[in-house]
Amino acid sequence: MELVTPGIGLIFWQLVVFLLVLFLLGKFAWKPIMSALHEREASIENALSAAEKAKLEMQALKADNEKLLAEARMERDKILNEATEAANNIVETSKQKANEEGARMIAQAREAIENEKRAAITEVKNMAASLSLEIAEQILRRELSDKTAQQALAQDYIREVTLN
Amino acid sequence: MKRLFVLLFSFLTLNAFAEAPAEGGEFEPGAMITHHIADDYIWHFADGAVVYLPVILVDNGEFKVFSSHNFYNEDHETVPYDGYALDHGRIYKLDANGEPIVHEGFASWFDPSLIDLSITKNVASMLLSVVLLLVIFSVIAGRYKSNPKAAPSGIQSFFEPIVVFIRDEIAKANIGPKYQRYMPYLLTVFFFIWFNNLLGLMPGGANLTGNIAVTMVLALLTLFITLFSSNKGYWKHIFATPGVPAWLAPIMIPVELMGIITKPISLMIRLFANITAGHIIILSLFSLIFIFESLAVSPLSVAFSIFMMFLELFVALLQAYIFTLLSAMYFGGAVEEHDHVDDMGFGDGTHH
């Protein structure tokens, strides 16, 4: 029975002392401890998130660098390609030009030859004509010296004309 | 640690030896055990190492303060002093014939005109524990204040995980977002109970947390904090429990109202009974030596006591945890937003 009958004195002291210690610890121990814990946790969390952010930034930076590098590489390839192409073009065009020039010169030569040939032929023709005329004149002059021959010739011409 | 235990057992054994002849030749284990776990006006560490604590009486509004030494003669027997007598751990007023005054209508041990506010063994032990608490935690708080962002060191690193555990696993888990308000009480009650449980296991220690007055005050504080922080939902659950048909109200309301009271009563009895039982078991194991009056029993009895002592060290922590946890759960039930919670009051329902 003694065990389960609470003593007034102990109740009193327990209440007073416990409330006092609750107040004192609450004010001077739990408050600073809890706020310090909270602060520390917050700072750790901040540090972690900052580290994470830095990591992400680093990654972004690295990715940027790589992109830049890749772009530069692409640019270089493009320039090289263009240069090669340009060189090829130049060679090609020079070749073509040379060919054209050659062709043109051949054509001119041909034309000149043709002209010369034509001129030569014309001269030959003219010469042949004048020669023929001279020959004919000589012939006619000798033929027309007698009257009958003249008539026979005229007769021939007439016959030829009617036949036409 | 080992040395401490050896010392502890030697003290306890000495006490048991000392007690046997003092209680009149025949060894009475029941009386010895009751005497050890009950409160006392003296602090008996060992024979010859007795502290006589001050007696403070309020007799009809009149303060009387004197040393409890006055109740003992040279042979350590109780004697009346100044019209008061000490009997079975209580002080009685004596009438002219030297007989205890019995008031009509009250139990024989209760005297409405005499309020006993003595600094008993339990009160002294409590004051000691409070000094320990204040010193330890002000040192720790000082460390936190001086360099708040440094990693904990020394004693701070021992207590920090416990504080964090109470905050995260007990308060946050059971109370919810409003846990901050209850942290000082939960931390204080946890360390108060734990420290006093451990002090009670020390040689010559007082059985403070195994005293019903102490557990009653703690349980009542939990009850008052619960009631003062209760919201509408808490009372709605009591007077109109959701999901229960209205015609059951005549049964439900008294049951729920009784539940308010039974929660702190269970807290009070659980702590009291666990700690007292542990003390009784250890003392009983030692008593075996004297019951059998044989030294041969002592190895067995000491082995069992060592086992019990380790168990008690665990129980000391466990009971502090349980008291704190249940208090937190009651606070949680009082401040919880009860809308649409289909959990029958166990706090495990889904929240919408």
Side-chain angles (χ1 to χ4, degrees), chain A residues 123-138:
Chain A
E123 216 178 79
V124 169
K125 273 183 183 165
N126 287 345
M127 207 177 272
S130 61
L131 269 178
S132 328
L133 276 177
E134 248 171 68
I135 293 168
E137 204 183 87
Q138 293 285 336

Side-chain angles (χ1 to χ4, degrees), chain B residues 264-277:
Chain B
I265 288 178
S266 74
L267 277 183
M268 167 177 87
I269 293 175
R270 183 181 299 109
L271 182 57
F272 154 75
N274 270 288
I275 302 306
T276 301

